[in-house]
Amino acid sequence: MTENSISGTTSVCAVIGDPIEHTMSPAMHNAAFRETGVDFVYTAFRVSAKELGEAIRGMRALGIKGLNVTIPHKVAVMAFLDELDPLAEKIGAVNTIVNDGGVLTGFNTDASGAMRALAERGIETDGRKIVVLGAGGASRAVSLALADGGGRLTILNRREELDWAEELAARLARFFGSNIPALELTDDNLAGALDGADLLVNTTSVGMVPRAESTPVKASLLHGGLAVLDIVYNPLKTKLLGDAETAGAATVAGIEMLAWQGAIAFEKWTGKPAPNRLMRDEAVRLLEKP
Ligand code: ATR
């Protein structure tokens, strides 16, 4: 239980997904609500794919102020909303819904969270050469945001049949008019792509516990001219980030992006600046809990 004082005027927010038991969002958001003194509370609902439409109608009926949306609903939920933020529309996925007097608008704060985490460190994307590893859902959000921010992207993906990467590249080409190379994730292709690159973003799960000793990029390919963002946040410092530091590269940890995606949702629901550091510290506390 949180110490939020809940009354007849309290606004409700929640995360929906399936499964949902391991979400860190309630702890992060309730800590932020307490800290800022807003009259909000945050919980979690397990919603199956077949009940997604009912759940969103329920959001409207109950006046739930905000939802975060996680796996497996980020794409399907768009069909039930009234408005889409332009970046969420380009990405084709939503992770945050704002209920403004019954009008439901979808946003993608995974994408804007990544951009804020980079901006906070003074890492620019406009005109920069950016290498993205992975072509799944996370890549789709981050790649579209980076291209929206003027980045010149190369995407590398493990699978030899590059249908997914090509679909993503086609989506990028449709919105940004540029031809974005989609290559197989091999050492040779990585070496070529990283030569002269400004930013490397890992959107794959490589390096996540319990395989924290693994890394998607050989240390010898990293260099001091790079900034490296790893979306893996468990462990807090992945092998990729450790190797990047050793190579003299600037690093942005996945936990920063996670905290910012929550902080931006908080700002949209409450209209107040989010206590981003506190939300990050709360997520770290949960990850470090035995
Ligand atoms: P998410 O929503 O987190 O992006 P996803 O859509 O399943 O999850 O995508 C996972 C990404 O990580 C994919 O690009 C996947 O590559 P494949 O398309 O080849 O499966 C990548 N990935 C997962 N495990 C990997 C590994 N061991 N090596 C390289 N890439 C890996």
Side-chain angles (χ1 to χ4, degrees):
M1 286 298 289
T2 71
E3 293 157 33
N4 297 49
S5 129
I6 299 170
S7 75
T9 61
T10 303
S11 296
V12 177
C13 296
V15 57
I16 59 168
D18 189 12
I20 203 62
E21 291 72 18
H22 298 294
T23 178
M24 296 197 286
S25 294
M28 286 169 64
H29 281 283
N30 285 314
F33 293 156
R34 280 196 297 276
E35 172 74 12
T36 53
V38 295
D39 188 13
F40 275 68
V41 69
Y42 190 109
T43 185
F45 297 115
R46 182 170 184 171
V47 173
S48 68
K50 79 175 178 3
E51 284 172 328
L52 180 61
E54 284 299 302
I56 301 303
R57 279 188 282 278
M59 177 187 197
R60 237 186 265 276
L62 297 172
I64 288 175
K65 177 66 193 172
L67 288 179
N68 281 132
V69 181
T70 189
I71 291 166
H73 304 316
K74 289 186 186 188
V75 175
V77 78
M78 291 189 300
F80 304 106
L81 305 180
D82 302 306
E83 313 266 351
L84 285 177
D85 164 73
L87 182 58
E89 189 166 13
K90 286 176 188 159
I91 293 166
V94 156
N95 82 319
T96 299
I97 304 172
V98 178
N99 181 355
D100 194 2
V103 178
L104 307 187
T105 305
F107 296 87
N108 193 308
T109 73
D110 294 328
S112 45
M115 298 305 281
R116 286 271 277 273
L118 291 170
E120 192 187 24
R121 294 297 177 81
I123 297 165
E124 296 184 3
T125 55
D126 196 10
R128 300 302 199 275
K129 187 176 173 195
I130 302 176
V131 178
V132 177
L133 310 180
S139 175
R140 195 152 116 174
V142 173
S143 296
L144 268 291
L146 290 168
D148 204 41
R152 295 182 291 122
L153 269 59
T154 301
I155 297 169
L156 293 95
N157 198 52
R158 171 184 60 175
R159 260 184 291 180
E160 284 184 48
E161 73 287 10
L162 290 169
D163 319 359
W164 267 100
E166 280 173 0
E167 196 270 80
L168 174 58
R171 182 176 277 271
L172 285 158
R174 185 158 82 242
F175 289 113
F176 301 105
S178 51
N179 221 346
I180 289 162
L183 306 173
E184 190 184 345
L185 181 53
T186 63
D187 280 350
D188 276 356
N189 284 339
L190 260 179
L194 287 174
D195 186 25
D198 301 295
L199 175 61
L200 167 66
V201 181
N202 175 42
T203 76
T204 77
S205 50
V206 180
M208 193 186 293
V209 291
R211 304 219 31 227
E213 76 295 344
S214 58
T215 174
V217 181
K218 277 203 303 211
S220 59
L221 295 177
L222 300 169
H223 55 80
L226 273 177
V228 178
L229 166 63
D230 194 343
I231 72 157
V232 173
Y233 57 79
N234 192 12
L236 292 168
K237 190 199 278 191
T238 58
K239 175 155 172 33
L240 174 62
L241 291 177
D243 290 345
E245 256 177 39
T246 305
T251 60
V252 182
I255 198 78
E256 306 292 336
M257 178 178 153
L258 178 79
W260 274 115
Q261 69 73 31
I264 297 168
F266 175 103
E267 289 172 2
K268 293 193 181 301
W269 297 327
T270 66
K272 290 192 184 326
N276 176 58
R277 295 292 92 192
L278 176 113
M279 294 176 84
R280 188 201 55 183
D281 292 348
E282 188 63 23
V284 169
R285 194 181 64 75
L286 286 177
L287 286 169
E288 287 177 344
K289 220 158 66 177

